[in-house]
């Protein structure tokens, strides 16, 4: 965060605006063009100082807001994942239990159906990445289809 709380641009611009403001009375008598330069430069530098200050305050607010929001999420005792389509919540322990069940089911199907290794590996990876009810239901559907395929191949082979 730095020594000035990330307000270094504001500080430098403010010092420059203060110096210009302080020097203005001394250069008024030299030339009318200098008076015009100071008349334009001083308000512009003070405006830039204000703009730098406001933008840094906005950035600080957004970063602090994001941190406090993530801290609130991590402090909850029961970690849940909100699904966007169904609105139901799934706890982490439920996801672990479902992952274990689906892994066992996939291993049973793997033994009965000769699938490609890449397909089984993809399903294993999807099981490990489960986060929502929708994903869980789609994996259950895929496993049911594989079971039907396995039972179909058993009846054909008999």
């Amino acid at each position: 965060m730095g020594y000035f709380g990330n307000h270094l641009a504001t500080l430098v611009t403010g010092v420059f605006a203060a110096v210009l403001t302080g020097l203005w009375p001394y250069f008024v008598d030299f030339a009318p063009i200098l008076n015009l330069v100071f008349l334009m430069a001083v308000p512009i530098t003070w405006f830039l100082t204000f703009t730098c200050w406001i933008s840094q305050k906005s950035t600080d607010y957004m970063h602090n807001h994001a941190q406090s929001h993530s801290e609130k999420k991590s402090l909850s005792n029961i970690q849940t994942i909100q699904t966007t389509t169904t609105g139901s919540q799934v706890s982490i322990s439920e996801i672990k239990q479902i992952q274990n069940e689906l892994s066992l089911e996939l291993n049973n199907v793997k033994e009965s159906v000769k699938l490609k290794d890449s397909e089984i590996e993809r399903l294993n990876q999807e099981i490990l990445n489960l986060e929502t009810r929708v994903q869980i239901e789609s994996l259950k559907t895929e496993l049911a289809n594989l079971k039907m395929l396995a039972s179909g191949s058993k009846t054909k082979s008999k």
Side-chain angles (χ1 to χ4, degrees), residues 18-156:
V19 168
L20 280 178
T21 304
L23 290 177
W24 191 359
Y26 297 110
F27 288 101
V28 171
D29 297 333
F30 284 114
I33 191 73
L34 281 178
N35 191 22
L36 179 65
V37 168
F38 276 98
L39 187 64
M40 289 173 41
V42 169
I44 289 171
T45 54
W46 282 114
F47 175 75
L48 287 174
T49 303
F50 177 73
T51 304
C52 287
W53 180 75
I54 285 293
S55 66
Q56 187 58 50
K57 283 294 187 183
S58 172
T59 303
D60 291 345
Y61 174 78
M62 291 307 290
H63 284 270
N64 289 339
H65 182 70
Q67 280 180 344
S68 66
H69 184 66
S70 64
E71 288 171 1
K72 286 178 186 175
K73 272 182 124 175
S74 66
L75 289 178
S76 72
N77 293 345
I78 301 173
Q79 296 180 344
T80 59
I81 299 168
Q82 183 76 25
T83 62
T84 56
T85 57
T86 61
S88 63
Q89 294 183 345
V90 182
S91 70
I92 299 297
S93 60
E94 288 176 16
I95 287 179
K96 294 292 183 194
Q97 180 184 0
I98 292 170
Q99 283 177 341
N100 290 336
E101 290 171 5
L102 290 175
S103 294
L104 288 173
E105 206 170 320
L106 181 63
N107 288 336
N108 292 339
V109 172
K110 179 181 175 182
E111 293 171 2
S112 61
V113 177
K114 302 298 181 195
L115 292 177
K116 296 179 184 174
D117 290 336
S118 61
E119 181 70 17
I120 290 176
E121 186 58 38
R122 182 188 66 79
L123 286 173
N124 276 325
Q125 190 61 37
E126 284 186 30
I127 289 171
L128 291 176
N129 294 332
L130 284 179
E131 291 182 359
T132 62
R133 282 270 185 213
V134 174
Q135 290 175 336
I136 291 168
E137 294 305 319
S138 71
L139 271 176
K140 284 183 178 180
T141 304
E142 280 190 53
L143 284 173
N145 289 338
L146 288 175
K147 282 182 179 179
M148 286 177 35
L149 182 75
S151 66
S153 66
K154 283 183 183 177
T155 56
K156 286 182 184 179

Side-chain angles (χ1 to χ4, degrees), residues 5-21:
N6 289 337
H7 286 279
L8 187 59
T10 305
L11 182 68
V12 169
T13 310
V15 167
F16 183 62
V19 168
L20 280 178
T21 304

